[in-house]
Amino acid sequence: MASLVARHAPREGICPTSIPRVSAIKLSAPSDELVHALHQPAVCIIAQGAKRVMLRDEVYSYDASRFLVFSTDLPISAQVTQAKPGEPYLCFRLDLDAAEISELVLQLGPLSARRTATHRGLFLSNVSNGMLDAAIRLMQLLDSPEDVAALAPLATRELVYRLLRSEQGERLAQVARADSHASRVMRAVSRLKSNFAEPLKLDELARECCMSTSSLHHHFRVVTSMSPLQYQKQLRLQEARRLLLSEGIEVSKAGYSVGYESASQFSREYSRLFGVPPSKDVSRFEMMAA
């Protein structure tokens, strides 16, 4: 698996492949700083090295013995902890498709579930031989492009099937069931992603998700570890940082464009999340890029 990922990751970072939703990831050194991102639903299998992912104050550390699943979009920070030039961090990632999961859940019926104390939309579990075999076959198809169209959907489907059959598969299946709390929280997440710059109207959001306000607040926190308002704040700040560092927008305009009316509040909350004020973050980025 490591040799396959290395061969199809021609550069540092996340490298999309010719197979839809499949990426090869390579980093030749541990991360000096935390990387902040809104991570979409995906399964990540490390082939070499180690990483830790932080969801607010929760830390998920994993290596080649375990896989990590995001069952919903989550604002996280991450850091590669084990990598070096001769032995880079190598990771296989498959972005998850809600329609494919729903179809398989309908076919599989009730899944056995290990009793768990959390329904968080992020979890770790042990990699099975079946999962690893399916991931390897997907990566091997990159060496025979003529077979991708016919065989890649089968291997992708098998990998998702193995994931649903894993010891924590029921946690992923919950997001595919229209009447589940996890599915309704995903609807709320989608609504917040599309309208994060607008003032949050919790009552209205709850009605759209067919939940009471108190129920939405409770289950949203169970799945994401944060309230809808805290989630919205993370979305705003991450988009503001993208505008500052990638688009070169002025600090005052970046804050305003994502919904902040107070420049001081924007700077204060930006510093709390990213560790430095926005202006200093921009200066540091420019120095590193020079």
Side-chain angles (χ1 to χ4, degrees):
M1 183 65 163
S3 63
L4 285 166
V5 173
R7 187 158 69 249
H8 295 288
R11 54 177 174 76
E12 296 285 297
I14 302 172
C15 304
T17 71
S18 59
I19 298 178
R21 297 161 41 208
V22 173
S23 299
I25 304 170
K26 178 175 72 174
L27 286 173
S28 298
S31 308
D32 292 330
E33 299 180 351
L34 293 175
V35 175
H36 300 269
L38 178 67
H39 206 298
Q40 67 190 80
V43 55
C44 303
I45 303 175
I46 292 178
Q48 184 171 273
K51 185 177 185 177
R52 62 176 180 143
V53 172
M54 282 72 74
L55 180 63
R56 301 199 75 196
D57 58 350
E58 299 173 2
V59 180
Y60 298 78
S61 298
Y62 71 120
D63 54 20
S65 67
R66 297 194 288 177
F67 64 88
L68 183 71
V69 169
F70 293 84
S71 62
T72 191
D73 297 89
L74 290 173
I76 55 97
S77 53
Q79 189 172 34
V80 169
T81 56
Q82 184 179 320
K84 54 186 178 182
E87 297 179 18
Y89 167 83
L90 299 168
C91 181
F92 163 93
R93 189 181 87 185
L94 172 67
D95 295 332
L96 297 174
D97 179 74
E100 182 176 56
I101 295 172
S102 297
E103 183 182 348
L104 279 168
V105 168
L106 286 174
Q107 292 181 6
L108 293 173
L111 299 172
S112 58
R114 186 179 68 173
R115 185 176 295 276
T116 178
T118 178
H119 296 280
R120 193 75 78 227
L122 172 61
F123 60 89
L124 289 166
S125 195
N126 296 324
V127 177
S128 68
N129 289 334
M131 282 186 63
L132 190 58
D133 287 345
I136 287 173
R137 275 185 273 110
L138 262 175
M139 293 300 294
Q140 287 174 332
L141 285 172
L142 294 170
D143 295 325
S144 52
E146 68 278 6
D147 296 329
V148 166
L151 298 181
L154 300 178
T156 298
R157 187 179 178 85
E158 181 187 346
L159 179 53
V160 176
Y161 167 84
R162 299 287 184 187
L163 181 55
L164 287 167
R165 284 298 194 195
S166 69
E167 61 181 354
Q168 304 224 41
E170 173 61 22
R171 293 173 64 176
L172 180 61
Q174 283 293 321
V175 304
R177 298 193 174 104
D179 61 343
S180 70
H181 292 307
S183 177
R184 290 169 180 163
V185 167
M186 283 194 69
R187 269 185 270 169
V189 164
S190 179
R191 178 72 170 77
L192 288 172
K193 282 177 58 185
S194 301
N195 303 277
F196 61 81
E198 298 178 2
L200 177 60
K201 298 177 181 177
L202 195 57
D203 292 346
E204 182 179 304
L205 182 63
R207 284 196 300 272
E208 291 182 11
C209 300
C210 302
M211 303 175 79
S212 69
T213 303
S214 59
S215 180
L216 172 62
H217 193 278
H218 170 72
H219 291 288
F220 197 98
R221 186 178 288 277
V222 166
V223 172
T224 69
S225 87
M226 60 194 83
S227 70
L229 183 60
Q230 290 168 331
Y231 188 98
Q232 181 195 53
K233 185 185 298 183
Q234 292 258 348
L235 293 181
R236 287 180 169 183
L237 293 171
Q238 291 203 15
E239 173 61 11
R241 192 170 196 243
R242 186 193 69 81
L243 293 173
L244 288 169
L245 304 186
S246 299
E247 305 293 333
I249 290 180
E250 295 178 3
V251 171
S252 58
K253 291 182 179 179
Y256 180 77
S257 68
V258 300
Y260 280 93
E261 297 181 358
S262 167
S264 60
Q265 181 185 6
F266 170 60
S267 181
R268 185 168 58 253
E269 294 184 354
Y270 189 102
S271 299
R272 188 176 299 125
L273 179 60
F274 300 119
V276 292
S279 56
K280 187 173 182 180
D281 200 16
V282 172
S283 298
R284 185 175 59 177
F285 178 78
E286 291 174 345
M287 288 179 61
M288 292 173 60

